[in-house]
Amino acid sequence: MAFAGINYVAVAVAAIASFAFGSVYYMALGRQWMAALGKTEADIKSGGVKPAPFVIAAVAQIVMAVVLAGVIGHLGPGQVTLANALTSAAIVWAGFVLTSMAVNHGFQGARPALTVIDGGHWLGVLLIQGLVIGLFGV
């Protein structure tokens, strides 16, 4: 099997774009997310703003973008296309991300709405990363 390679500029842009998407997504759905989490705004604010989750999220976006680019690159030379990238992103989300979240949230006793909200976020992240990687190519 031939490996098409990874465009690291695309990976960086994909990670930044998907992190920005997450910021907008959770600002728009903040109230619904807190309700699904079973917390109030006061509960969230009482803990203060901690940088660690943001750093972890940024690193996670980079790792996801590298891995997604690798998965797409394994389709072979000439196959790093927008359609293949978006398809790969959706398959990765459905096969790994959503299933993992459903199991974890189920055992944690989380409300189904939390899985829907968080799952929508990760679908958006992967589709944005696939979009960028597919448009940039190798």
Side-chain angles (χ1 to χ4, degrees), residues 1-3 7 19 23 28 33-34 36 39-40 44 49 59 62 64 72 87 92 98-99 101 103-104 112 125 127 130:
M1 174 187 288
F3 180 60
N7 182 332
F19 186 87
S23 299
W33 176 76
M34 283 187 289
K39 296 196 179 251
T40 65
I44 301 292
V49 177
V59 170
I62 294 166
M64 285 183 100
I72 298 164
T87 301
V92 166
L98 182 61
T99 55
M101 282 181 34
V103 169
N104 288 348
V125 162
L127 289 175

Side-chain angles (χ1 to χ4, degrees), residues 44-110:
I44 301 292
K45 289 183 177 180
S46 70
V49 177
K50 296 178 178 131
F54 295 98
V55 172
I56 292 167
V59 170
Q61 300 297 335
I62 294 166
V63 171
M64 285 183 100
V66 168
V67 171
L68 183 60
V71 167
I72 298 164
H74 270 86
L75 295 174
Q79 297 301 310
V80 181
T81 65
L82 180 58
N84 285 344
L86 290 172
T87 301
S88 296
I91 289 169
V92 166
W93 174 79
F96 297 107
V97 177
L98 182 61
T99 55
S100 298
M101 282 181 34
V103 169
N104 288 348
H105 285 174
F107 278 104
Q108 293 166 359

Side-chain angles (χ1 to χ4, degrees), residues 5-12 69 133 136-138:
I6 294 176
N7 182 332
Y8 289 101
V9 173
V11 165
I133 292 164
F136 275 62
V138 177

